[in-house]
Amino acid sequence: MSGTPARPVVDFWFDPACPWAWMTSRWIDEVSRHRDLEVRWHVMSLSVLNEGREDLPERYVRLMSEGWAPVRVLVAAARDHGDQVLKPLYDAMGTRKHPGGREDNEAVIAESLAEVGLPAELAAVGATDEVDDLLRASHGEAIALVGDEVGTPVVAIDGVGYFGPVVTPAPTGQAALDLFDGLVLMTRVPGFYELKRTRTAGPQF
């Protein structure tokens, strides 16, 4: 007699600046509507990942500089109010930044904190290194799973992690479930490391 299948545990590392992580997070949300998953949200940082690199194009240097404040605010919010605030705060920031097209970091952070009922004072942490040890620790957990030649998102299922999937637009319905089931199957192949093709489309929100 077979037992009840274990509830999958999905760990999702994101940087709110990344449109591809946003697309993947919408896919995980869709899967969660139809499957019994435990999804745990974590912060990683493209600014940390690219720290010290001298070969970045000028545009990316600016983006990496601007990327510190949102991740610091997220980490500070989780430190002070628990990990359960990460997803709603990420949703609030990401909705403004990605489908909303907003680039005014300061206003996005302030509005997002207000939307989810968090203290406005948390925004000030974005300009300091107060939580950088916590940020680097969270980022390091993702990198420990997949290595440092990746980006965001990192998705782990029952402890086996990959960079990605990178998708556009975010699959819905049965297509979303099929992609998840495929990823679950890949995590069960110990020697499977990489599957990739060149992106020919940008994020379709």
Side-chain angles (χ1 to χ4, degrees):
M1 184 176 178
S2 61
T4 303
R7 184 188 192 204
V9 176
V10 177
D11 287 285
F12 192 111
W13 281 267
F14 65 90
D15 183 324
C18 179
W20 297 105
W22 178 256
M23 302 297 297
T24 308
S25 72
R26 301 311 94 182
W27 162 67
I28 283 291
D29 279 351
E30 175 73 2
V31 175
S32 296
R33 293 186 188 100
H34 304 280
R35 294 281 174 82
D36 182 24
L37 307 178
E38 179 184 352
V39 184
R40 305 186 298 201
W41 300 88
H42 313 271
V43 180
M44 64 183 297
S45 170
L46 293 172
S47 299
V48 171
L49 184 69
N50 290 290
E51 203 170 24
R53 285 186 55 183
E54 298 179 356
D55 58 340
L56 290 175
E58 185 175 339
R59 173 175 174 268
Y60 285 98
V61 171
R62 177 179 61 82
L63 290 174
M64 295 308 103
S65 176
E66 294 172 352
W68 286 100
V71 291
R72 284 167 167 166
V73 171
L74 280 154
V75 169
R79 176 198 63 184
D80 294 351
H81 301 277
D83 289 343
Q84 71 274 6
V85 305
L86 282 175
K87 179 58 162 51
L89 186 55
Y90 174 40
D91 287 346
M93 288 182 178
T95 298
R96 288 168 171 79
K97 181 169 183 62
H98 300 302
R102 299 273 297 277
E103 296 185 358
D104 45 340
N105 251 1
E106 189 172 329
V108 165
I109 290 170
E111 292 172 17
S112 299
L113 288 169
E115 178 181 319
V116 300
L118 290 169
E121 293 76 17
L122 283 169
V125 179
T128 76
D129 62 1
E130 178 182 332
V131 296
D132 282 10
D133 286 349
L134 294 173
L135 171 61
R136 293 177 188 280
S138 181
H139 177 87
E141 290 173 356
I143 297 305
L145 287 174
V146 297
D148 58 6
E149 297 178 357
V150 298
T152 176
V154 168
V155 176
I157 299 175
D158 294 331
V160 180
Y162 294 99
F163 162 55
V166 175
V167 290
T168 186
T172 59
Q174 189 60 46
L177 300 178
D178 289 345
L179 177 57
F180 182 78
D181 291 341
L183 188 56
V184 169
L185 291 174
M186 288 191 294
T187 66
R188 295 174 181 168
V189 180
F192 180 81
Y193 292 103
E194 186 172 357
L195 184 67
K196 186 174 182 178
R197 63 175 174 168
T198 300
R199 293 195 300 264
T200 57
Q204 300 170 38
F205 301 119

